[in-house]
Amino acid sequence: MTHQSLHWEKEMWAAGHRVTRQRALILDAVCAADGHTSIGEVYARVRRVDTTIDRSTIYRALHLFVELELVLAADTGSGDILYEIRKLQPHHHLVCRDCGGEQEIGDAALRMMFDDVSRQHGFRVETDHLVMFGLCHECVRAREHHVVPGT
Amino acid sequence: MTHQSLHWEKEMWAAGHRVTRQRALILDAVCAADGHTSIGEVYARVRRVDTTIDRSTIYRALHLFVELELVLAADTGSGDILYEIRKLQPHHHLVCRDCGGEQEIGDAALRMMFDDVSRQHGFRVETDHLVMFGLCHECVRAREHHVVPGT
DNA sequence: CCGCTTGTCGCAAACATTGGCAGGATGAAG
DNA sequence: CTTCATCCTGCCAATGTTTGCGACAAGCGG
């Protein structure tokens, strides 16, 4: 069981929201992806179990989950927003501009940067999921091979 | 004149796109805001000059500008995407969760972090506009005053 | 188990965004 | 200046997302 089956119900309840069959299905669907997933995927996955569920319910539930921080929402730049079950420790994503590949990194490197920002600007950064774009190792090398050296 | 009036036409042309009256108006509208602005604002501003312009033209032009990196698109978390004219040097935004205020920072602190990521994960980060959430100085202090010490 | 209160769901309508197409504008060549 | 090929725009339709509302179900007290 990927998600905190025993926890999310409590958090939901503590925030004054009810635990419903639909919400459970939707959260399961997000977990089932075990990584980034889209609204469409969640909808399709939920539909396989319950064909009466409505799109608007998916939208509302996902917004709620994001608000309660049970689920992370990330804009990958390609326009559509991806959702992901929140893991216990913060992590961030590197998305390659060329191949589109994603890789996950811990937040050790970023924490130092956050501290710098805090010292220099008096701003306490609490972002726990950043998406950064760039070039992965393979694509950097691919470019170096294609680009004529010396230009 | 805020935007690089002489540059954007060249960049547009170099990328094989045409310089049209509509695109000029739309880019002007983005510049006029001189900061973050929304699609709706751009539309309203353009409409004041030319009432025949269509919404789809705004969408298409903004997408093009973002692709050419004349304009930055940022998801501030509140759901809607904000656009901003690209400045000459990269910068990033700190958005306060409590008061919603934004502050701009240079990329010195982040560049070191990018280098770390590059060394440790072989990923060359090229993101030049990050939005990070947290608490600004004032809101941190406000919280400390409200929270009963000793709990 | 039953009924009550209130939050949630499914439906449909409103609103936002994107795509196809025909006419019009742009930039280049004659 | 005129013509031409191409790209862009505006309109319309399709799609994606949000909202309002009556019916329904979750959680609570009997």
Side-chain angles (χ1 to χ4, degrees), chain A residues 115-134:
Chain A
D115 288 346
D116 275 359
V117 171
S118 179
R119 269 195 300 275
Q120 291 173 26
H121 304 276
F123 188 97
R124 186 194 294 170
V125 179
E126 293 186 341
T127 296
D128 54 3
H129 185 245
L130 281 180
V131 178
M132 293 178 284
F133 300 93

Side-chain angles (χ1 to χ4, degrees), chain B residues 6-151:
Chain B
L6 308 168
H7 279 319
W8 78 271
E9 304 185 352
K10 289 178 188 168
E11 293 196 31
M12 187 77 71
W13 177 75
H17 300 281
R18 290 185 181 166
V19 176
T20 67
R21 191 177 50 84
Q22 287 90 339
R23 284 176 179 163
L25 286 177
I26 294 168
L27 194 54
D28 278 343
V30 175
C31 295
D34 199 48
H36 284 170
T37 187
S38 67
I39 288 234
E41 277 182 9
V42 170
Y43 180 66
R45 211 179 288 268
V46 169
R47 273 274 170 162
R48 253 176 261 150
V49 183
D50 179 346
T51 55
T52 71
I53 213 159
D54 193 74
R55 276 202 148 83
S56 58
T57 304
I58 310 278
Y59 283 104
R60 285 188 279 230
L62 282 178
H63 283 168
L64 179 62
F65 293 156
V66 170
E67 187 186 318
L68 298 183
E69 296 187 317
L70 292 168
V71 168
L72 297 171
D75 180 1
T76 62
S78 51
D80 38 24
I81 292 172
L82 296 185
Y83 297 89
E84 174 182 27
I85 190 70
R86 186 193 200 170
K87 308 233 174 85
L88 302 90
Q89 57 218 354
H91 67 283
H92 311 270
H93 278 97
L94 305 173
V95 178
C96 179
R97 264 197 228 287
D98 275 12
C99 69
E102 298 178 13
Q103 87 185 254
E104 224 173 279
I105 64 172
D107 74 336
L110 285 85
R111 196 157 293 283
M112 295 200 322
M113 185 268 288
F114 290 168
D115 289 346
D116 274 359
V117 171
S118 179
R119 270 194 301 275
Q120 291 174 26
H121 303 275
F123 188 98
R124 185 194 295 171
V125 180
E126 292 186 342
T127 296
D128 55 1
H129 186 245
L130 281 180
V131 178
M132 293 177 285
F133 300 93
L135 292 176
C136 70
H137 196 51
E138 287 77 20
C139 291
V140 167
R141 286 209 304 201
R143 283 197 175 188
E144 281 167 358
H145 286 167
H146 290 162
V147 170
V148 179
T151 45

Side-chain angles (χ1 to χ4, degrees), chain A residues 69-124:
Chain A
E69 297 188 317
L70 293 168
V71 168
L72 297 171
D75 180 1
T76 62
S78 51
D80 37 24
I81 291 172
L82 296 185
Y83 297 88
E84 175 182 25
I85 190 70
R86 188 192 198 170
K87 307 232 175 87
L88 300 90
Q89 57 217 355
H91 68 282
H92 311 271
H93 278 97
L94 306 173
V95 178
C96 180
R97 262 196 230 287
D98 275 13
C99 69
E102 298 178 13
Q103 86 185 257
E104 224 174 280
I105 64 172
D107 75 334
L110 285 85
R111 196 158 292 282
M112 294 201 321
M113 185 269 287
F114 290 167
D115 288 346
D116 275 359
V117 171
S118 179
R119 269 195 300 275
Q120 291 173 26
H121 304 276
F123 188 97
R124 186 194 294 170

